[in-house]
Amino acid sequence: MKRRNRSKSCKPQAETCWGEFAPDFARYNDDILFGEVWSANDKLSLHDRSIVTVSALISQGITDSSLKYHITSARNNGVTKEEMVQIITQLGFYAGWPKAWAAFRLAKEVVRRLRQEWATSRW
């Protein structure tokens, strides 16, 4: 399968994590999900894909490192803090208040970390 150019926000790690144990899963993740789906920017922007992805994870109650990764990616793809607050608040009513509560905790960590990185970077 031919690899497509990935966006700067897509950093597949499945080959490293699962290559020997589950090589097909790693290939699906790296080549299809990140190589084809996330690269179809002419159909849906990275900004909008990030909103969809974060919303799907929160709706399922997934508040682990994958949500942190996708909140960070959303920020890198132009989703503002204000937009993220509105997205999570909206999801609180439709997906469940405890899920929104947990998502806000992670989003706050991501914002704090990004601010610290920005403050210490040398531009």
Side-chain angles (χ1 to χ4, degrees):
M1 173 180 282
K2 183 179 176 183
R3 289 183 184 248
R4 297 179 69 181
N5 291 334
R6 296 183 181 99
S7 73
K8 63 183 175 183
S9 70
C10 303
K11 298 177 183 173
Q13 301 173 3
E15 181 63 37
T16 303
C17 295
W18 307 114
E20 288 184 30
F21 186 74
D24 287 339
F25 179 81
R27 184 174 51 80
Y28 299 150
N29 184 82
D30 293 353
D31 293 342
I32 297 171
L33 176 58
F34 286 100
E36 294 180 26
V37 175
W38 272 91
S39 294
N41 297 330
D42 58 326
K43 296 178 178 46
L44 190 65
S45 69
L46 290 174
H47 175 274
D48 294 348
R49 284 183 195 283
S50 289
I51 290 172
V52 169
T53 303
V54 167
S55 297
L57 292 172
I58 293 169
S59 294
Q60 294 178 68
I62 298 172
T63 55
D64 62 6
S65 62
S66 62
L67 179 58
K68 276 179 144 175
Y69 171 82
H70 283 288
I71 289 173
T72 302
S73 293
R75 170 62 176 83
N76 294 337
N77 290 331
V79 177
T80 67
K81 177 184 167 262
E82 292 75 21
E83 286 175 313
M84 188 61 66
V85 167
Q86 290 301 310
I87 291 162
I88 297 171
T89 300
Q90 180 88 4
L91 287 169
F93 287 97
Y94 286 92
W97 208 251
K99 292 175 183 175
W101 189 275
F104 270 125
R105 180 180 48 78
L106 288 178
K108 188 176 177 181
E109 284 179 32
V110 168
V111 169
R112 186 177 328 123
R113 181 180 49 81
L114 291 173
R115 283 185 180 154
Q116 288 172 346
E117 288 175 7
W118 181 261
T120 60
S121 66
R122 295 182 181 182
W123 285 78

